[in-house]
Amino acid sequence: MKVLVSPQKKAEWKINKQDFILELQKKYNVTNLKEITNTKRYYCYEWTIKENNHFLNGMLDNSLNCVYIESDSMYLGCSFALWIRTFMPEYADIMLYDEDFINYIYFKKDTDIDQLIETFQ
């Protein structure tokens, strides 16, 4: 699965980069974490997580309100999206969507994971 988590419209708020990276390292088995300093790249951090023989690659974009997720596990990808949602304001209209914008869902931090999985199956 390849999806993005982002607000529907341009947002004024930002994910706190330091808190996000600290919590990422606490919660997940991060095997690779890189800060991207090349200003031509659209992302500022990228990471790889290994969990139960599955992987998840992620990238935080420079706007600090969009995260790209690629995983070989629908469950891991969707649960990670729910975790990311906790770093975004409750009032914000947040979407989880695929690269082609064929499948998408608006979701909150308490959205049932099965709703997310159904959207992308």
Side-chain angles (χ1 to χ4, degrees), residues 58-120:
M59 293 186 287
L60 176 63
D61 83 344
N62 289 326
S63 70
L64 300 179
N65 58 26
C66 179
V67 177
Y68 172 80
I69 300 168
E70 177 182 356
S71 182
D72 65 340
S73 164
M74 188 79 63
Y75 184 85
L76 179 57
C78 289
S79 66
F80 191 77
L82 285 169
W83 178 76
I84 289 167
R85 183 63 177 91
T86 65
F87 291 90
M88 300 174 167
E90 187 60 37
Y91 64 82
D93 291 328
I94 303 299
M95 300 178 73
L96 177 64
Y97 56 97
D98 58 21
E99 293 176 306
D100 298 326
F101 208 75
I102 294 170
N103 301 301
Y104 66 92
I105 185 173
Y106 290 91
F107 72 110
K108 301 282 186 191
K109 62 184 174 187
D110 61 352
T111 299
D112 188 276
I113 192 168
D114 292 332
Q115 288 180 272
L116 300 184
I117 291 170
E118 273 180 40
T119 303
F120 296 95

